[in-house]
Amino acid sequence: MHEMSLAESVLQIIEESAQAQNFQRVRTVVLEIGRLSSVEPDAMRFCFDSVMRDTLADGAELQIIETPGTGRCLSCGTEVEMLEKYGLCPYCDSPHLQITAGNLMRVKDLVVE
Amino acid sequence: MCATCGCNSHDVLIGGKRPVRGIGAISFRKVQTPPDKTKHEHPPADTTTRVIQVERDLLARNDTFAEANRRLLNERGVFALNLVSSPGSGKTTLLVKSIAMLQGKLPLAVIEGDQQTENDAARIRAAGAPAIQINTGRGCHLDAQMTGQAMTQLDLADDSLLLIENVGNLVCPAAFDLGEAHKVVILSVTEGEDKPLKYPDMFRAADLMLLNKCDLLPYLEFDAELAITYAHRINPQLKVMRISAVSGEGMDEWLNWIEAGSRKAIAAK
């Protein structure tokens, strides 16, 4: 996946928020990253630090909330937990699983001063 | 830097020129004020902090550009395909052959994405189609903004076909919508059958898989049925065609699919 581009998207969201909400420094960035979103949290941490350098979020703490993946089997209708984006329904072996949660990646909150 | 593939997003060139404005992910200017690290490490007692709820998706910016591209393509009846694969799957050879076979049937243009060189765009132009090269520098995928700028420079014809050859990479291009009608993933039989399991995001994002270089099957141990089974495990709706851009096998089916898609795009204008 592409954590460098995504970390740069985080910075842009922060800079736009800084203009709209009138703040100069960011202490903490809270990201919500779904289990099925294809973002590696460790890679994101690495990219985050390098992208935020010399910006208003330099040195900011990155908190990542990892949300679980869930899906619905289109064959038997059961709600199932999904650890991967693909797989077979544990109840009926169908591959027709529709993701219902856990594919988001977004900036949730900022702690600013 | 992208921990998966070591990519970075500097040095983007479109048609050999640096774009006037920043491109996609690299357009974000760093703020000028150097940070006060002392303040960060030892915040004064009277510093007031507040929590701001943002709740914004990381891909929203790309998706906004992608929607603008899609709107433009739809209005003009242009059928756009985003071709994705590993390096060496035969994408450019497939394009050259497709261009030759579509000559006189459907006007088309090509956007070529590679980290470096104009080689592929030159091959496409030699085959008789207008082409523009996007060099992504160290970037590992095309994004919707650079695609939109390339579309403008290409001067697309109404009711035509736009083929976008993405950077050879089965990982990063999966997440970036360019505004295309379909992603087409190309898997060649000189790769492993389990590529769909190893790189599921791409096979999930695609609507069509072309199993390329099928003329080589007699000389390989590649199990085509197994590869297709794996691909359907990831994406049960994935349409599959067995082709060889070199021998011509399956090319009619692929081009018929393109022409049917193009007719639909023109009718829906």
Side-chain angles (χ1 to χ4, degrees):
Chain A
M1 230 337 253
H2 199 75
E3 287 77 4
M4 193 69 180
S5 274
L6 297 176
E8 285 169 335
S9 295
V10 172
L11 176 59
Q12 186 173 40
I13 289 170
I14 290 173
E15 290 181 343
E16 287 172 6
S17 299
Q19 284 203 334
Q21 306 269 350
N22 195 29
F23 58 85
Q24 281 77 45
R25 293 282 302 152
V26 179
R27 288 265 196 97
T28 308
V29 177
V30 184
L31 294 187
E32 190 176 285
I33 292 182
R35 168 110 199 186
L36 308 176
S37 74
S38 322
V39 176
E40 277 301 323
D42 284 345
M44 176 55 94
R45 282 178 207 286
F46 178 81
C47 296
F48 180 85
D49 288 343
S50 87
V51 168
M52 298 307 151
R53 199 164 298 141
D54 299 334
T55 74
L56 76 172
D58 194 338
E61 181 196 1
L62 174 63
Q63 289 180 6
I64 295 181
I65 301 172
E66 290 183 65
T67 56
T70 57
R72 200 170 69 84
C73 174
L74 297 181
S75 299
C76 72
T78 314
E79 290 284 336
V80 296
E81 184 187 3
M82 294 178 74
L83 300 178
E84 304 287 348
K85 264 190 181 172
Y86 61 93
L88 302 178
C89 172
Y91 299 97
C92 74
D93 281 345
S94 164
H96 298 264
L97 294 175
Q98 188 176 52
I99 295 170
T100 51
N103 55 353
L104 280 181
M105 43 185 170
R106 58 179 189 162
V107 180
K108 189 169 182 298
D109 302 318
L110 300 174
V111 180
V112 303
E113 60 189 63
Chain B
M1 188 174 295
C2 172
T4 307
C5 60
C7 72
N8 206 332
S9 42
H10 300 289
D11 308 325
V12 174
L13 297 176
I14 297 180
K17 295 191 186 108
R18 198 168 301 286
V20 179
R21 290 179 53 235
I23 288 294
I26 65 161
S27 66
F28 318 135
R29 272 188 310 113
K30 303 276 161 77
V31 294
Q32 299 304 313
T33 324
D36 182 349
K37 290 197 172 154
T38 316
K39 190 177 171 189
H40 175 77
E41 286 160 17
H42 306 284
D46 61 348
T47 299
T48 50
T49 62
R50 57 194 163 116
V51 177
I52 292 178
Q53 286 196 332
V54 181
E55 313 222 333
R56 280 180 56 188
D57 193 283
L58 301 191
L59 287 173
R61 177 182 157 83
N62 184 73
D63 291 347
T64 303
F65 281 107
E67 276 316 307
N69 292 349
R70 184 166 285 118
R71 210 166 33 246
L72 182 80
L73 292 164
N74 288 348
E75 281 167 11
R76 303 189 51 190
V78 178
F79 184 53
L81 298 175
N82 178 0
L83 281 75
V84 292
S85 79
S86 311
S89 67
K91 283 193 298 300
T92 312
T93 302
L94 172 69
L95 287 186
V96 168
K97 187 82 170 194
S98 303
I99 290 164
M101 292 177 75
L102 286 170
Q103 204 93 53
K105 289 183 178 172
L106 186 59
L108 65 87
V110 176
I111 295 175
E112 279 288 341
D114 280 302
Q115 287 196 317
Q116 301 288 342
T117 84
E118 280 266 339
N119 294 356
D120 281 0
R123 274 179 76 187
I124 298 298
R125 285 193 280 263
I132 187 160
Q133 181 82 47
I134 300 178
N135 285 138
T136 57
R138 282 177 285 168
C140 54
H141 66 283
L142 297 179
D143 69 34
Q145 188 182 14
M146 56 177 84
T147 303
Q149 292 182 341
M151 277 164 49
T152 309
Q153 289 189 35
L154 262 179
D155 195 18
L156 295 172
D158 285 356
D159 305 341
S160 65
L161 170 68
L162 174 64
L163 297 169
I164 305 166
E165 182 180 339
N166 217 314
V167 178
N169 175 349
L170 270 180
V171 185
C172 307
F176 291 82
D177 183 9
L178 305 181
E180 72 275 358
H182 303 284
K183 283 192 178 70
V184 177
V185 64
I186 298 141
L187 175 66
S188 63
V189 299
T190 49
E191 302 171 56
E193 295 100 340
D194 57 354
K195 275 260 170 92
L197 300 182
K198 288 177 170 169
Y199 302 96
D201 290 351
M202 192 60 88
F203 289 85
R204 188 109 185 174
D207 295 315
L208 171 64
M209 175 171 103
L210 298 177
L211 191 62
N212 194 20
K213 307 189 188 178
C214 277
D215 56 313
L216 297 179
L217 277 172
Y219 313 103
L220 302 168
E221 290 181 0
F222 187 92
D223 184 339
E225 279 305 320
L226 186 62
I228 293 168
T229 301
Y230 285 153
H232 281 148
R233 191 180 295 174
I234 300 304
N235 181 353
Q237 277 81 43
L238 186 67
K239 190 173 171 58
V240 178
M241 295 178 193
R242 301 183 190 214
I243 66 162
S244 165
V246 171
S247 75
E249 172 188 347
M251 287 296 287
D252 284 338
E253 189 186 8
W254 154 238
L255 297 176
N256 287 341
W257 182 84
I258 289 180
E259 289 183 273
S262 171
R263 280 194 295 274
K264 248 169 121 175
I266 294 167
K269 268 206 294 195

